[in-house]
Amino acid sequence: MLDFPRWKILSIAIGLALLVSLSIPSFVPKSVRETWPSWMPRPAVNLGLDLAGGSYLLLEAQTADVAKAKLNQMEEQVRAEMRRDPRIEIGDVSVQGGKLTFMVRDSAKVDAVRERLLAITGSGVGTTGQREWDVAVVDSSRFVLTPTDAGLQQSIDTAMNDAREVVDKRINGLGTLEPTVVREGGNRIVVQVPGLDDPTALKKLLGQTAQLEFRLVDTTADPQQVAQGIAPAGSVLMPYADGGGMIAVQRQVMITGGMLVNATQTYDPQSGAPGVTLQLDGAGSKRFAKVTQENSGKPFAIIVDNKVISAPRINEPILGGSAVINGGFTVQSANELAIALRSGKLPIALKVVQESTVSPELGADSIRAGITASIIAVVAVIAFMILTYGRFGLYATFAVVINVLVILGVMGLLNATLTLPGIAGFVLTIGTAVDANVLINERIREERRRGRSVMQAVELGYKEASRTIFEANVTHAIAGFIMLALGSGPVRGFAVVLLIGIATSVFTAVVFTRMLVTIWLRRNRPAEINI
C-alpha cells in the first residue's frame, strides 16, 4: 500500500487536473469563450432541446410515392432490358393499378422475356427468400409485374434510412449543434434542433426534395399552346419557381443531381445578386461540356423539384464542370438551396405532421431545478460521509467533487449533449459515486475489528472491495450500453451520462482516494484510524 510510486501519483494528479480544466468552459458563457485565445480549450457541454429550448418536428414519409417510384424505375429497367441485344419488341408499357404490364409482340420470345425479367426483379428480400416482384404471364404473351409486400417494405425501409441521413446532413449544414434525427416507427422521422426557435426555415429546408435537373428548353413550342397547357411531342411543361407561367422543356434530362459534387452559396460577380454555384463530377463535367458545345445559343433550363429556377441562354461552351444558378434568390434562400443540393435528393417526400417550439425559459427552469437537486445531493452525501467515516469520508468527498468536474470535462471533450434525463443521470451518479467508498470503508472497519493493523486493514479493504466494485459497475455499464444502443432521445442522454459517470466514479472512488490515503499514511503512520 505504501509503495504507491511517485510517477503514478504525478500521472493521476496531472490527468485529473487536465480533465477538470476541460470542465471550465462549460461554466463560461459562449460569448466569453469565443474571445479566448485559440490555444485555450473551448469544449463545452451542449444543452439538449429540453434545456436550451429549440424546435421539434415530426416528419411523416409519403410511402405511397415509393410504390409509384418503384414502378416507374422498373418501367425504365424493362425498356432498357428489352432494347438489349438481341432486341425484343414489346408493346406499350402500362404502370396503372400498382402493376406494370406490357405485351410481347412475338409470343415465341415469352421465355426469353421471362428470363430477362427474373434477372432484374431481385433475387430475394433479406433472408426470407421472397422475391421483390411477382412476374406472371396472362393471355400467353402479356406480362404482369406486381411488387410484393416484402419488396415494397424493403424499398420503404431503404428510402427511410436514406431520408434520415439526408435530413441529418441538411440540419448539420445549418451549423446547428447536436441535432437529434431518429426514425420513429416505419415511416416517421423525429427531428430535434436545440437553439432553433423558429422552425419555419427548417420546415422549408426539409420540405425540399432537391431533385436537380438540367434540360434543354424546347424552342419550337408554340407559346399559345403552352399557355393552353399543351406541350409538343417529346417535351413537358414545367412552371417557373417564381410563378412566371409555364415553359416547355425537353423530356430528356441532360444533367442530374447525382452528378453533383458540391453546391455553395455565392454572389454574381456583375450584379452582386446571391446565387448557387454547382460543381459537377468528372462524368457530369464531360456531359455538361458536350451539351453546351452542341447547343450554344439555346436556352438551358435549370430545374429543382420540377420547378424551373432559371433558363439562361448558353453563350459559349462551359468546360470547367461548374454552373451558377441565379433566380432572384436572397442570401438565405440561396444558402438553403445550396445545403439541400449538397446533402442530396430526398428519396421520399416528407410531410410535417407535428411541430412544437420549446421555450428557453422552460429549459432554464429545468437547469435551475437540476442544479438545485445536484447541490442538495452533493451536500447531503458530503455530510453523511464525513459524519460517518471522518477523514476517509472527507477523501470520498474530494472524489465526488472531482468526479462531477471530470464528468463535465469528458462530456465537453466528447461534445456530448446534456438533457433533462442526463441531469437525472448526473444526480444518480453523484449518489452512487460514494457507494464504492462506503464498501471500501466498511471493509476496512471489518478488518480492524478482526485485529489487523492499520496498514493491513487499509490494504485489504481496498483490495477486497475493489473486486466487488468493478463487478457491480460492469453490470451497470452493460445496462448503459444497451440503453445507448437501443434507446433514442432522452434514454440515450441518460445512458451517455451514466456510462461516463461509471468510468469516472470508479477511478476517482478507488484510485484517487487510495492515493490520498496512501499519502496521508506515509506522512503520519497512525497507530489508529477513526473510521
Side-chain angles (χ1 to χ4, degrees):
M1 177 90 190
L2 295 180
D3 292 334
F4 213 93
R6 184 181 295 274
W7 68 266
K8 201 170 183 178
I9 293 175
L10 289 175
S11 300
I12 293 171
I14 293 173
L16 289 178
L18 288 175
L19 290 174
V20 168
S21 67
L22 291 176
S23 69
I24 296 175
S26 297
F27 297 101
V28 179
K30 184 179 179 181
S31 57
V32 177
R33 292 200 305 271
E34 291 176 346
T35 63
W36 288 0
S38 57
W39 55 267
M40 290 186 67
R42 299 183 184 181
V45 176
N46 301 310
L47 298 181
L49 183 71
D50 48 2
L51 298 178
S55 297
Y56 167 92
L57 294 179
L58 180 59
L59 308 173
E60 187 172 87
Q62 309 301 300
T63 52
D65 294 344
V66 174
K68 186 178 178 181
K70 192 176 179 71
L71 283 170
N72 291 334
Q73 185 181 14
M74 181 52 68
E75 179 186 359
E76 293 180 9
Q77 285 185 274
V78 167
R79 291 184 186 279
E81 193 64 27
M82 297 307 137
R83 284 197 296 265
R84 187 167 60 85
D85 188 40
R87 185 185 182 102
I88 299 178
E89 297 295 335
I90 62 174
D92 292 337
V93 180
S94 170
V95 291
Q96 294 181 348
K99 298 179 180 180
L100 184 149
T101 59
F102 65 91
M103 185 82 73
V104 180
R105 296 191 187 283
D106 184 356
S107 58
K109 296 184 177 178
V110 167
D111 290 339
V113 172
R114 184 201 299 276
E115 189 175 337
R116 293 190 183 186
L117 291 178
L118 291 178
I120 63 173
T121 52
S123 57
V125 178
T127 58
T128 64
Q130 187 173 354
R131 296 189 63 81
E132 291 184 49
W133 293 81
D134 284 332
V135 180
V137 181
V138 296
D139 301 333
S140 72
S141 61
R142 189 161 64 91
F143 277 85
V144 179
L145 277 66
T146 309
T148 63
D149 291 340
L152 275 176
Q153 190 55 50
Q154 184 185 49
S155 298
I156 291 172
D157 284 342
T158 302
M160 288 299 297
N161 288 332
D162 293 344
R164 196 207 68 77
E165 291 184 9
V166 172
V167 169
D168 196 43
K169 288 180 182 176
R170 291 188 182 183
I171 295 176
N172 281 307
L174 292 172
T176 307
L177 288 175
E178 293 297 315
T180 300
V181 182
V182 294
R183 278 188 63 178
E184 183 179 271
N187 64 337
R188 290 185 168 185
I189 296 175
V190 174
V191 177
Q192 295 180 352
V193 187
L196 185 69
D197 56 4
D198 181 10
T200 305
L202 183 63
K203 285 192 296 182
K204 184 179 177 182
L205 178 63
L206 299 182
Q208 286 183 297
T209 304
Q211 180 181 9
L212 174 69
E213 294 175 343
F214 283 24
R215 303 191 195 199
L216 287 171
V217 175
D218 189 344
T219 53
T220 64
D222 184 344
Q224 292 185 346
Q225 289 189 331
V226 171
Q228 295 172 2
I230 302 173
S235 299
V236 293
L237 299 182
M238 287 193 175
Y240 278 101
D242 60 1
M246 305 290 285
I247 185 172
V249 296
Q250 294 183 2
R251 286 183 179 275
Q252 184 181 8
V253 179
M254 299 297 181
I255 304 292
T256 68
M259 300 174 179
L260 201 64
V261 174
N262 195 15
T264 54
Q265 185 267 312
T266 55
Y267 294 94
D268 187 286
Q270 296 181 343
S271 64
V276 178
T277 297
L278 310 176
Q279 185 65 44
L280 303 174
D281 60 13
S285 299
K286 290 179 181 177
R287 184 161 181 77
F288 196 50
K290 183 181 179 183
V291 170
T292 53
Q293 280 177 330
E294 295 175 348
N295 298 278
S296 182
K298 296 180 181 177
F300 204 35
I302 303 171
I303 303 161
V304 177
D305 291 347
N306 295 321
K307 291 183 179 178
V308 178
I309 302 297
S310 63
R313 189 170 298 279
I314 303 172
N315 295 322
E316 58 184 9
I318 302 174
L319 307 177
S322 64
V324 179
I325 302 177
N326 291 313
F329 294 113
T330 63
V331 173
Q332 182 179 353
S333 61
N335 188 47
E336 290 172 356
L337 179 59
I339 292 171
L341 293 175
R342 196 165 56 233
S343 59
K345 170 190 167 187
L346 269 177
I348 189 169
L350 300 173
K351 178 183 177 184
V352 178
V353 295
Q354 186 179 345
E355 64 174 280
S356 62
T357 302
V358 180
S359 170
E361 285 73 18
L362 293 176
D365 291 342
S366 300
I367 293 174
R368 281 194 292 272
I371 291 174
T372 302
S374 299
I375 292 174
I376 293 173
V378 169
V379 171
V381 167
I382 288 173
F384 172 80
M385 292 300 292
I386 293 177
L387 291 175
T388 306
Y389 299 110
R391 174 181 293 277
F392 286 74
L394 189 62
Y395 292 153
T397 298
F398 290 156
V400 169
V401 175
I402 294 293
N403 183 43
V404 169
L405 296 176
V406 168
I407 291 175
L408 287 175
V410 174
M411 289 184 68
L413 191 64
L414 299 177
N415 203 24
T417 299
L418 181 63
T419 62
L420 197 56
I423 290 181
F426 215 97
V427 176
L428 178 63
T429 301
I430 293 171
T432 57
V434 295
D435 283 356
N437 288 110
V438 171
L439 285 173
I440 293 169
N441 295 339
E442 289 298 326
R443 188 71 184 179
I444 294 173
R445 275 183 176 176
E446 188 177 334
E447 295 299 329
R448 286 292 295 155
R449 282 197 291 268
R450 290 178 179 175
R452 306 277 189 187
S453 67
V454 171
M455 299 299 177
Q456 289 176 328
V458 172
E459 184 169 3
L460 287 174
Y462 271 93
K463 183 178 179 181
E464 297 298 328
S466 295
R467 187 182 309 157
T468 305
I469 293 167
F470 286 124
E471 289 175 354
N473 280 281
V474 166
T475 58
H476 289 166
I478 291 173
F481 278 118
I482 292 174
M483 284 192 290
L484 186 64
L486 303 181
S488 63
V491 176
R492 288 174 64 88
F494 179 84
V496 168
V497 177
L498 180 66
L499 288 172
I500 295 174
I502 288 173
T504 58
S505 64
V506 169
F507 183 82
T508 55
V510 177
V511 180
F512 178 65
T513 59
R514 184 183 176 190
M515 183 187 75
L516 296 178
V517 171
T518 299
I519 294 173
W520 176 68
L521 290 177
R522 273 182 183 172
R523 291 179 177 175
N524 298 279
R525 297 189 177 273
E528 186 53 75
I529 54 177
N530 180 23
I531 187 171

